[in-house]
Amino acid sequence: VAAEGKHDQHLSWRMRLAWFLPAWTNRTDVKSGFGVLQTDLTLVASYKLGKALSVDWQSSIRKVPVVVDRWQVTHSLLLTMGLIL
């Protein structure tokens, strides 16, 4: 599931929610069925500073029970500069 939009010419946002259910794993110490359901939620806000410069903030919340059975939260701030030829 994904959605995106623009607030104005400078501010935009994106959201992505994904689920993945592995069909098979060789690990014997993990749950089965929906106990191994992987969940990934990503939110991005982007502010365009100029023609080729933007600041992006990204927050990601995910759970991958086959690897570690805990929720993992990451936040990123990225300054992007593009070259326009």
Side-chain angles (χ1 to χ4, degrees):
V1 178
E4 63 181 64
K6 281 188 140 184
H7 182 270
D8 57 23
Q9 66 180 3
H10 297 288
L11 184 62
S12 63
W13 60 272
R14 293 185 310 272
M15 186 271 311
R16 180 178 163 266
L17 177 61
W19 294 283
F20 176 71
L21 186 62
W24 178 81
T25 180
N26 61 354
R27 291 192 52 185
T28 58
D29 60 336
V30 296
K31 304 171 194 171
S32 61
F34 284 105
V36 294
L37 181 69
Q38 298 178 14
T39 306
D40 186 6
L41 173 64
T42 303
L43 306 167
V44 178
S46 181
Y47 188 79
K48 194 167 186 172
L49 297 171
K51 198 171 189 179
L53 190 63
S54 70
V55 174
D56 297 331
W57 170 78
Q58 178 175 335
S59 181
S60 181
I61 303 165
R62 67 178 49 127
K63 185 176 182 184
V64 185
V66 175
V67 178
V68 61
D69 197 16
R70 292 188 181 173
W71 288 96
Q72 303 169 37
V73 179
T74 59
H75 299 284
S76 304
L77 186 63
L78 181 65
L79 179 63
T80 306
M81 186 169 68
L83 177 64
I84 301 171
L85 299 174

